[in-house]
Structure formats: structure tokens, C-alpha cells
Amino acid sequence: MLEFALLAPVFFGILAAIMQTAMVFLASQFLESAVHNSSRTIRTGTAQQTNWSLADFRNTLCDGLYSLVNCNNLHIEVDVLNNFASANVEPPYDRSCEEDCGWTRPEKWVPGPASSIVLVQVHYKFPLILPFAQLASNALPDGSMLLGSATVFRNEPY
């Protein structure tokens, strides 16, 4: 019983860390997959031809996230680029902020015409439960972890 009392906190702490890491990884994979699948509607011209708004794109994106994240807290930027080399993927978050930090850039919805180069960026602050997870490189001061996904493509000549 004494051995259990000594080892149980360590065992359950490691178990909780594994579970939290798995949840972050799962959310990250779902986000990546949802961004690529939703971006296909832009690439094929479906979003442009049916006059989608940012809300329509968000709804399509959220369908692929299976309620693992709060879709209202996603930060989405869709913009047209001059060339592939000008793609700059930067999180819309100020790392020097200590508390009550919001997104530093507004959301953007510019899906572009046919044959244009488009950058789609989606970021999300995934809430963390365990305090030692703050040691991760993408942990934020507010107790969350910054997840992000981006894709760059040329729209089809629809």
C-alpha cells in the first residue's frame, strides 16, 4: 500500500500527460485534415461560384473537426498571393502578451478568381488542462496551445 501511495501520483501524472498529448495531437491532425478538405472548395471554384462567405467556409471546416474544437474560436485567413514565394505563414498571435490575449490580425476572406494563388491559414488556441504542458514550445501564457494549419495552392481554371 505504501508503494502504491508513492508511485500512484507519478503513474497517474504520466498517464494524464499522455492523454493530453494524444488529445492535442488528435486535434492537430483533425485541423490539418479539415483545412485541406475545406480548401478544396476554394481550389475547385465551388466557394467562389456559390458566393460563399467566411461563415460558409467556417461551417465546412467545422464539419471536419467533429466537435473536438470550438469553431467560434478558430481564426481563419484566406488571401490571394502574387506568387508561391510570397507565402508567409505567421500565427496571428503576440507571443509577448501575458494574459487576455486576442488575435493580432483580423480574419480575411479573399478566395480569389480562377488560376490565382491562395493561402489558407487556420489557427486555434487549444485549452490545456495540465500545468506542466506549458513547457511546450507552442504553449501560450493563457494556458492553451496554439495549433495551426496552412495550405497554399493555385486555383483551378474553372
Side-chain angles (χ1 to χ4, degrees), residues 65-118:
L65 294 174
Y66 306 106
S67 301
L68 191 60
V69 303
N70 181 352
C71 291
N72 295 325
N73 295 338
L74 289 172
H75 184 273
I76 303 170
E77 292 182 55
V78 178
D79 201 9
V80 175
L81 304 175
N82 294 328
N83 54 45
F84 285 102
S86 65
N88 184 19
V89 179
E90 285 289 325
Y93 188 83
D94 182 13
R95 290 252 182 213
S96 63
C97 182
E98 293 296 326
E99 60 183 74
D100 295 331
C101 304
W103 303 111
T104 57
R105 293 191 309 258
E107 291 188 317
K108 189 181 281 188
W109 175 251
V110 184
S115 300
S116 60
I117 299 171
V118 178

